[in-house]
Amino acid sequence: MIKNIIFDFDGVICESVGVKTDGFAMLYEPYGKDIVNKVIKHHLVNGGVSRFEKLRFYHKNFLGIDLSNGDLNALALKFSEFIVEKVIEAPFVEGAHNFIIESQHKYKMYISTGTPQSEIELITKEKYIYNLFDGIYGSPESKIRHIEKIFKSNPLKKEETVFIGDSIQDKKAASSTGLIFIARITENAPLLKQEKYQIKDLSYLEAHLEKIDNLI
């Protein structure tokens, strides 16, 4: 039986992928439309990757600039100031809020996200879901490290745990740690359409978990 759920945040719990796309577009607008298009294309294909990794990559590969730690932190702060309130205001993925509230005593639930730790804690508190999770994990640690920490700190079984994500990075984190992966499919996640377990939104999640239970 599935007893534990690890959720990605953007695009799985909250419809906030577009907000972060706008944030990256804002940062790179001074460099022209072609650079913005390259940044957005990479961002959408690489959901779940820390913004710090992305900013270093974009500057190095698209602008030929090696960011200093100070410049990187300044860009990340500007990005955060742009997107935090917008993410707080963004709607939940359909079915997500109801599922989290109704299932808080049925499943152990965790968040694993590329959003910085302090930021994801603020966002979940402002969206009144912070206390509904057994653990919330953000960057700079990787999702693989999050999963390792969850299992080290809790007496859970991997065969009873699913990871729900909307990116190839989420799939890799689940696969490399031996978890069942459920893909949330959107127009920005075409590479996940071949996954064995997939959902359009979280209103389908409970039925899907029951389906998995019947197969394992």
Side-chain angles (χ1 to χ4, degrees):
M1 299 266 311
I2 299 302
K3 296 180 180 179
N4 320 300
I5 305 172
I6 303 173
F7 298 87
D8 177 37
F9 186 76
D10 296 304
V12 173
I13 291 176
C14 185
E15 293 284 20
S16 45
V17 173
V19 172
K20 295 191 174 181
T21 301
D22 292 343
F24 282 113
M26 175 274 297
L27 287 182
Y28 288 92
E29 186 177 14
Y31 300 102
K33 186 175 180 180
D34 287 345
I35 296 298
V36 169
N37 288 340
K38 289 180 181 178
V39 167
I40 290 174
K41 182 178 180 180
H42 181 276
H43 164 63
L44 291 176
V45 175
N46 292 275
V49 176
S50 162
R51 71 190 59 166
F52 294 92
E53 292 183 47
K54 287 182 175 179
L55 291 170
R56 282 198 186 278
F57 180 87
Y58 299 153
H59 266 68
K60 176 67 174 179
N61 291 276
F62 301 154
L63 302 175
I65 299 172
D66 287 311
L67 281 172
S68 68
N69 288 336
D71 288 339
L72 175 63
N73 289 332
L75 281 172
L77 178 60
K78 186 176 181 181
F79 181 90
S80 178
E81 290 172 344
F82 179 87
I83 63 103
V84 166
E85 283 302 318
K86 292 180 173 63
V87 173
I88 291 169
E89 294 169 0
F92 286 96
V93 169
E94 186 173 349
H97 194 236
N98 285 344
F99 179 88
I100 291 166
I101 291 174
E102 293 172 1
S103 303
Q104 59 180 303
H105 302 300
K106 182 176 181 180
Y107 301 101
K108 292 283 188 181
M109 297 190 294
Y110 304 85
I111 290 175
S112 171
T113 177
T115 299
Q117 185 70 37
S118 59
E119 196 172 296
I120 190 60
E121 290 181 5
L122 171 62
I123 290 168
T124 52
K125 287 174 182 176
E126 291 294 321
K127 295 182 84 70
Y128 301 103
I129 59 173
Y130 178 83
N131 291 326
L132 303 181
F133 291 90
D134 295 274
I136 295 176
Y137 299 83
S139 65
E141 293 184 322
S142 70
K143 294 189 177 187
I144 291 175
R145 179 60 180 148
H146 295 165
I147 295 168
E148 291 172 346
K149 289 179 73 172
I150 288 169
F151 280 92
K152 184 176 181 179
S153 303
N154 302 275
L156 311 180
K157 296 180 180 179
K158 290 189 175 182
E159 62 270 22
E160 297 175 343
T161 305
V162 297
F163 190 112
I164 306 173
D166 67 335
S167 71
I168 295 298
Q169 284 68 34
D170 294 333
K171 175 187 174 181
K172 289 179 178 177
S175 298
S176 66
T177 52
L179 304 186
I180 298 166
F181 179 64
I182 300 177
R184 194 255 165 145
I185 302 297
T186 67
E187 62 181 12
N188 293 322
L191 297 178
L192 295 179
K193 290 186 177 180
Q194 304 304 315
E195 290 304 305
K196 181 177 181 181
Y197 303 119
Q198 54 181 265
I199 51 177
K200 179 182 178 182
D201 57 57
L202 270 66
S203 62
Y204 298 87
L205 182 54
E206 186 63 48
H208 216 69
L209 293 173
E210 291 175 2
K211 176 183 175 182
I212 295 172
D213 282 340
N214 290 331
L215 293 174
I216 59 176

